[in-house]
């Protein structure tokens, strides 16, 4: 049976917390037949600390806000120029588990980077994607009742200095890099987004030529959170 189209939402530049709250709403309230969704977004500068995050990995956050959240993993940084794609997926319907989801996200990033001539790889026991010794993309997920929220963050052209104010993903001294650094100049984040979306569809649906249904409006959950102006009730 051909999978249903994946709903793609382009959120633009959005504060972290409302988008996180909207993801939580989506995970709790979406109907069983709701389409899988990919939310593409950039965030203003923010450090996010995973459920088991250790405070010693926050070296010097300064004025950058720190948000404790419900994904796995340690601390990471989000900022403009970093492409974030949240993967709101029904894993039971896809017939995959968490480990396979992580592999799909990593491979989609690797394939995307290869389109720009950047050779990247995954590492055992260290989720994410690396170029040489430096990390170029991070993953963080939460799966509840076989539904995933959160997703991936690919450094296209962010300011990298804030990564030095943390131990990225809990690894002291881990260098970070970006497509801009690797290519020696600017790269259009919109082109990277489109390529990564196509590779995600290929990886998640095992080569099926799956249509991505782009929706112009913001997700209803985000609109609802913005209207409330506060965290939705748990």
């Amino acid at each position: 049976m051909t999978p249903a189209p994946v709903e793609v939402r382009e959120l633009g530049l959005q504060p972290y917390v409302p988008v996180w709250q909207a993801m939580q709403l989506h995970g709790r309230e979406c109907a069983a037949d709701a389409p899988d969704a990919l939310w593409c977004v950039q965030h203003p500068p923010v450090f996010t600390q995973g459920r088991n995050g250790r405070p010693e990995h926050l070296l010097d956050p300064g004025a950058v806000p720190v948000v404790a959240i419900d994904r796995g993993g340690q601390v990471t940084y989000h900022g403009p120029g970093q492409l974030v794609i949240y993967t709101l997926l029904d894993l039971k319907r896809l017939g995959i588990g968490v480990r396979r989801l992580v592999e799909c996200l990593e491979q989609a990033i690797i394939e995307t980077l290869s389109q720009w001539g950047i050779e990247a790889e995954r590492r055992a026991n260290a989720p994410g994607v690396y170029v040489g010794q430096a990390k170029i993309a991070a993953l963080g997920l939460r799966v509840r009742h076989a539904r995933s929220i959160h997703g991936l963050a690919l450094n296209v052209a962010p300011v990298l200095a804030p990564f030095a104010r943390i131990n990225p993903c809990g690894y002291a001294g881990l260098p970070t890099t970006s497509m801009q650094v690797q290519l020696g100049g600017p790269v259009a984040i919109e082109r990277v987004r489109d390529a990564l979306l196509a590779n995600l569809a290929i990886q998640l649906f095992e080569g099926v030529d799956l249509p991505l249904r782009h929706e112009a409006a913001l997700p209803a959950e985000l609109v609802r959170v913005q209207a409330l102006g506060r965290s939705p009730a748990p």
Side-chain angles (χ1 to χ4, degrees), residues 155-181:
N155 295 336
V156 179
V159 174
L160 295 176
F163 286 102
R165 298 165 73 175
I166 61 173
N167 290 330
C169 304
Y171 292 93
L174 177 67
T176 55
T177 189
S178 69
M179 294 182 69
Q180 185 176 47
V181 168

Side-chain angles (χ1 to χ4, degrees), residues 5 17 22 25 35 37 42-43 57 63 73 89 100 120 137 141 143-144 146 148 150 175 178 194 208-209 213:
V17 171
L25 280 177
Q42 297 179 62
H43 293 301
H57 294 310
L89 305 172
R100 178 58 184 154
L141 297 166
V143 177
R144 187 168 181 266
S148 67
H150 299 285
S178 69
D194 292 347
V208 174
D209 187 13
R213 188 176 69 209

Side-chain angles (χ1 to χ4, degrees), residues 51-83:
R51 289 194 306 274
N52 302 314
R54 295 164 59 182
E56 59 264 34
H57 294 310
L58 279 162
L59 305 178
D60 180 25
V64 178
V66 179
V67 181
I69 59 172
D70 57 345
R71 61 159 172 78
Q74 298 284 331
V75 65
T76 194
Y77 169 75
H78 298 305
Q82 183 188 70
L83 172 61

